[in-house]
């Protein structure tokens, strides 16, 4: 049974595809693909009706909807971008249907360089166009200049500005524009890369054609060389039961790193975050997950700019920890999961705050380890049991892991 009118904020990749659907860059698509079209694209590189189309363009909704329902798709700031009229929804949440624009996209950078294909074709006014799609710098412009001269064409640089690498691609396009003939256009297009190079190239061909390409040149793929670990952002994420010693180890690690002075350190303690960032949240599963996501978001933003963040929540659920890892790694930073695996009996014996006693008495519902599960990580980078070792020894173990990984010198 559908919910009538639903509001939904798509994932970043879905949002990028939505923008291209709305601009006409994904013509002839008029909305998100359903099961039959998706199967045909995977099998034959065509839509179900036989129209050539290289890549999946999909939307997944957690909310249950029915055919005919309208879903308002929002940008990350909550502004309506498009209305989706649902044609079908699969059990896994894959939702298809036509879309209609509700406003010009304003989220994300490079607003002045966003142009629809129709706007660019109008500016070309029927002139030939050499469209160059870029995911990295253009080292050699001579081929572009020679081809444009041969075609008597205007050069259009489509900076494929999706994700973390986006700003660098746009800067590279603007630098290239300065060295290319007058009249060269730069357009920011948030085309998310596809995993298979042939499919990615074919999709770039489609988008270039939408922008009026007489001929399309695909710029070289960027060579990604990650910086040395001690310059990369890092999140050290401690997880473990209440009383396991994780907060104490995390504080000890913070102090040790501050003494070394070689990294900028941000410390996000679970209790402090709950009082400030997550004030008002309960201890229900949904609110606990939200609390961890908030910690993860702040940690990832710290690491995005090369900082080192230390987090020490209980984080009992594997799926939420995996989300945080993904958040951190998606900004180009590293993630180190430390499981403080002190057994429940030892944590309960310590019970510094008297919480276990209250939980046993039924005064605290949904208490991790007593009335709510703790999912032990199977992807921990370091496991520490503090039953028989000092806090100093535990801190030394973490610090040694950071040193051996090259994150601390």
């Amino acid at each position: 049974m559908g919910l009538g009118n639903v509001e939904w904020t798509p994932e970043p990749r879905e949002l990028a595809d939505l923008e291209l659907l709305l601009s006409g860059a994904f013509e002839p698509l008029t909305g998100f693909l359903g099961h039959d079209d998706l199967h045909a694209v995977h099998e034959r590189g065509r839509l179900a009706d036989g129209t050539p189309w290289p890549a999946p363009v999909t939307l997944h909704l957690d909310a249950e909807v029915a055919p005919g329902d309208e879903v308002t798709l929002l940008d990350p700031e909550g502004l309506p971008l498009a209305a989706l009229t649902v044609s079908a929804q699969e059990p896994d949440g894959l939702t298809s249907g036509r879309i209609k624009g509700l406003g010009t996209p304003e989220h994300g950078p490079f607003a002045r360089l966003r142009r629809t294909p129709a706007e660019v074709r109008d500016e070309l006014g029927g002139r030939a166009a050499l469209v160059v799609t870029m995911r990295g710098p253009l080292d050699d412009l001579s081929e572009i200049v020679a081809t444009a001269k041969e075609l008597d064409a205007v050069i259009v640089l489509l900076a494929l500005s999706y994700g973390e690498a986006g700003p660098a691609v746009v800067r590279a396009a603007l630098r290239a524009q300065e060295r290319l003939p007058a009249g060269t256009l730069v357009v920011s297009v948030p085309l998310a890369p596809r995993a298979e190079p042939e499919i990615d190239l074919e999709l770039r061909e489609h988008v270039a054609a939408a922008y009026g390409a007489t001929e399309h040149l695909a710029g070289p793929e960027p060579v990604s060389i990650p910086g040395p670990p001690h310059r990369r952002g890092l999140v050290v994420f401690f997880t473990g039961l209440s009383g396991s010693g994780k907060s104490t180890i995390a504080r000890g690690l913070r102090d040790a790193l501050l003494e070394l002075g070689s990294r900028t350190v941000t410390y996000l303690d679970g209790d402090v975050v709950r009082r400030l960032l997550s004030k008002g949240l309960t201890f229900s599963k949904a609110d606990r997950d939200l609390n961890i996501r908030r910690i993860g978001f702040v940690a990832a933003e710290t690491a995005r700019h090369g900082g080192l963040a230390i987090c020490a929540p209980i984080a009992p659920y594997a799926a939420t920890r995996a989300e945080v890892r993904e958040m951190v790694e998606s900004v180009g930073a590293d993630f180190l999961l430390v499981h403080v695996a002190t057994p429940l009996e030892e944590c309960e014996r310590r019970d510094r705050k008297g919480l276990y006693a209250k939980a046993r008495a039924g005064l605290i519902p949904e208490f991790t380890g007593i009335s709510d599960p703790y999912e032990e990580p199977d992807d921990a980078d370091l496991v520490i049991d503090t039953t028989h070792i000092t806090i100093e020894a535990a801190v030394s173990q973490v610090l040694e892991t950071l040193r051996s990984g090259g994150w601390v010198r």
Side-chain angles (χ1 to χ4, degrees), residues 273-353:
V273 169
R274 270 211 170 263
R275 283 205 309 278
L276 299 170
L277 193 64
S278 294
K279 191 174 183 180
L281 292 188
T282 69
F283 285 88
S284 70
K285 182 178 189 310
D287 277 5
R288 280 197 227 186
D289 282 347
L290 181 55
N291 180 49
I292 301 304
R293 283 192 197 99
R294 287 178 179 177
I295 290 172
F297 175 77
V298 175
E301 287 301 299
T302 299
R304 180 197 294 271
H305 305 292
L308 189 155
I310 301 169
C311 318
I314 292 172
Y317 309 118
T320 322
R321 294 192 298 260
E323 267 188 68
V324 174
R325 184 188 286 273
E326 166 62 25
M327 270 187 222
V328 172
E329 291 178 349
S330 73
V331 301
D334 295 330
F335 183 85
L336 191 81
L337 184 64
V338 181
H339 178 204
V340 183
T342 309
L344 175 64
E345 305 71 46
E346 176 63 18
C347 296
E348 199 164 355
R349 188 187 66 74
R350 295 172 185 175
D351 204 9
R352 204 161 48 89
K353 299 175 186 173

Side-chain angles (χ1 to χ4, degrees), residues 33-44:
L33 302 183
H35 176 272
D36 292 350
D37 280 326
L38 206 51
H39 180 72
V41 165
H42 281 306
E43 292 296 312
R44 305 191 301 277

Side-chain angles (χ1 to χ4, degrees), residues 86-104:
V86 176
S87 55
Q89 186 179 49
E90 303 301 318
D92 65 354
L94 177 79
T95 307
S96 56
R98 295 174 73 88
I99 56 159
K100 183 181 72 181
L102 297 176
T104 307

